[in-house]
Amino acid sequence: LYDSIEKPVIIRTRVHIPSREKGLEAIEAVKKRYTNYNRIEIDGVKVMGDDFAFLARVSGTEPIIRVMVEAWSQEKAEAILKEVLTVLKEALGEAA
C-alpha cells in the first residue's frame, strides 16, 4: 500500500563552525538569501518552496550547523543543498 506513495528525497549534512556566534551569523545569511520564500525562523530557519524545503540550525550540543533538505527529486535536493552550503560557507569565510 505505502510503496505507491511518492516519498521526498531527504539529504542531511552538517557544517562545522568555529563558534556558535559565527554559526548564528551564517544562519542570518541564509535568512537574507531566502527572503522571498515562506520561512519559519524558530530555532534556525526553515525555508519552504513549491518543490523543496530545508532546515538549517545551529546545534545546541556540537559546533555545527545541521542542514536537512527535502525535495521531490534527487537533482532538486542536491541543487538546493549546494546552494545552502554555498551561502553558509561564504558567511563563515570558507571557500564553497
Side-chain angles (χ1 to χ4, degrees):
L1 174 67
Y2 293 110
D3 292 340
S4 62
I5 297 174
E6 187 177 5
K7 298 176 189 77
V9 174
I10 299 173
I11 303 174
R12 291 180 177 89
T13 191
R14 55 185 67 177
V15 176
H16 290 276
I17 54 176
S19 67
R20 181 169 177 77
E21 292 73 28
K22 285 296 280 181
L24 294 173
E25 288 174 20
I27 295 295
E28 287 301 316
V30 173
K31 289 178 185 178
K32 286 180 183 158
R33 168 63 181 82
Y34 290 92
T35 54
N36 296 332
Y37 290 86
N38 289 324
R39 298 179 307 176
I40 299 173
E41 296 183 6
I42 300 170
D43 191 28
V45 62
K46 181 171 186 173
V47 175
M48 294 151 289
D50 292 336
D51 58 350
F52 74 92
F54 72 83
L55 172 67
R57 60 179 291 275
V58 176
S59 171
T61 57
E62 299 175 84
I64 59 171
I65 294 174
R66 297 182 193 282
V67 180
M68 184 180 80
V69 177
E70 296 180 15
W72 293 110
S73 73
Q74 186 74 31
E75 295 78 22
K76 183 68 174 185
E78 289 173 0
I80 294 296
L81 178 62
K82 182 178 180 191
E83 193 174 281
V84 172
L85 291 178
T86 298
V87 173
L88 289 172
K89 289 181 179 185
E90 284 176 1
L92 292 168
E94 300 174 16

